Structures are given as structure tokens and as C-alpha cells.
């Protein structure tokens, strides 16, 4: 899933590419076509995901607030890259994010800081 690139050539068998991004509402954003997790899953006929991996360049906060508001967590595991805007209250967003995970029953298994990031 990536609305910013074209489908790679010669995908291996059982590998699928979808030119759509994840967001808190369906439509068109600067990056291209986006949809909610529920919308994407519905269009593919899925009702559950084993592992949800997100690297959505800052949109993770809006997406997770939407998932929390709709109480829609149809996955067992989450791998997410968090983009923290420290000058815009980002640390509070991180605390809220992990509180939300805890409140819906997830446990943090692994966490890594990016050693190449500096502010």
C-alpha cells in the first residue's frame, strides 16, 4: 500500500500492491488516494489483519485517533514508525498513543529510537 509510487515490476507470487494510503478519512490527499483502515479492509474483503505495519509520515496520530474514536482495532500486532513533532506538543501525543494502546489491551513488545534523528 503506497499512493506515492507506481506498482513495482515483477512482484513475486502472492505479493500484491495497492496504490492507496491509510488515513483517518477516505479521499484524496497531497500524497494521492487514501482511505480508512475499515474502508481498505472492506474493499479487499478482509475482517482481520494479523500484523498492521504503518509508516505514514506523521499521519499516524490522526489515524490512531480515528481508530480509537471508532474502537476499531482489527489486528493482533502493530508495527508503527512514530514521527514526533516536538515543537507542537508531540511528546503528549506519544503518551496518549501508548495510553490508548494500553487501554485497548496491547502490550509494547519492542521499541527503538532512531539513532539518526536529531532535533
Amino acid at each position: 500500500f503506497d499512493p506515492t509510487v507506481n506498482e513495482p515490476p515483477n512482484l513475486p507470487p502472492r505479493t500484491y500492491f495497492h496504490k492507496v494510503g491509510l488515513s483517518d478519512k477516505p479521499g484524496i490527499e497531497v500524497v494521492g488516494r487514501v482511505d480508512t483502515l475499515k474502508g481498505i479492509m472492506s474493499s479487499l474483503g478482509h475482517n482481520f489483519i494479523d500484523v498492521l505495519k504503518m509508516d505514514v509520515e506523521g499521519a499516524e496520530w490522526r489515524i490512531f485517533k480515528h481508530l480509537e474514536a471508532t474502537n476499531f482495532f482489527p489486528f493482533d500486532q502493530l508495527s508503527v514508525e512514530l514521527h514526533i513533532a516536538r515543537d507542537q506538543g508531540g511528546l503528549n501525543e506519544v503518551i496518549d498513543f501508548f495510553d490508548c494502546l494500553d487501554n485497548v489491551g496491547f502490550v509494547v513488545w519492542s521499541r527503538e529510537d532512531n539513532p539518526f534523528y536529531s532535533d
Side-chain angles (χ1 to χ4, degrees):
F1 294 89
D2 191 336
T4 65
V5 298
N6 292 322
E7 180 172 343
N10 306 319
L11 289 174
R14 299 185 59 192
T15 303
Y16 305 96
F17 177 83
H18 301 277
K19 194 172 176 71
V20 61
L22 187 59
S23 187
D24 60 328
K25 58 184 178 280
I28 303 293
E29 293 185 4
V30 174
V31 297
R33 187 171 75 87
V34 295
D35 202 349
T36 62
L37 181 60
K38 185 177 274 190
I40 292 170
M41 290 176 65
S42 176
S43 71
L44 297 173
H46 298 301
N47 58 17
F48 189 78
I49 300 170
D50 293 312
V51 179
L52 176 62
K53 182 181 181 300
M54 290 193 315
D55 181 1
V56 289
E57 305 305 324
E60 62 272 10
W61 309 111
R62 290 183 294 123
I63 292 166
F64 228 81
K65 286 181 191 303
H66 175 74
L67 294 176
E68 184 179 26
T70 58
N71 195 31
F72 188 67
F73 296 93
F75 46 87
D76 277 338
Q77 297 180 41
L78 172 68
S79 174
V80 61
E81 182 175 317
L82 300 176
H83 300 84
I84 304 168
R86 292 192 172 116
D87 59 337
Q88 299 170 3
L91 295 179
N92 288 331
E93 286 183 316
V94 173
I95 292 167
D96 291 346
F97 174 80
F98 284 106
D99 282 347
C100 174
L101 288 177
D102 185 56
N103 290 338
V104 296
F106 285 96
V107 176
V108 176
W109 183 260
S110 177
R111 188 200 71 131
E112 297 177 25
D113 292 332
N114 182 348
F116 301 104
Y117 175 81
S118 64
D119 48 345

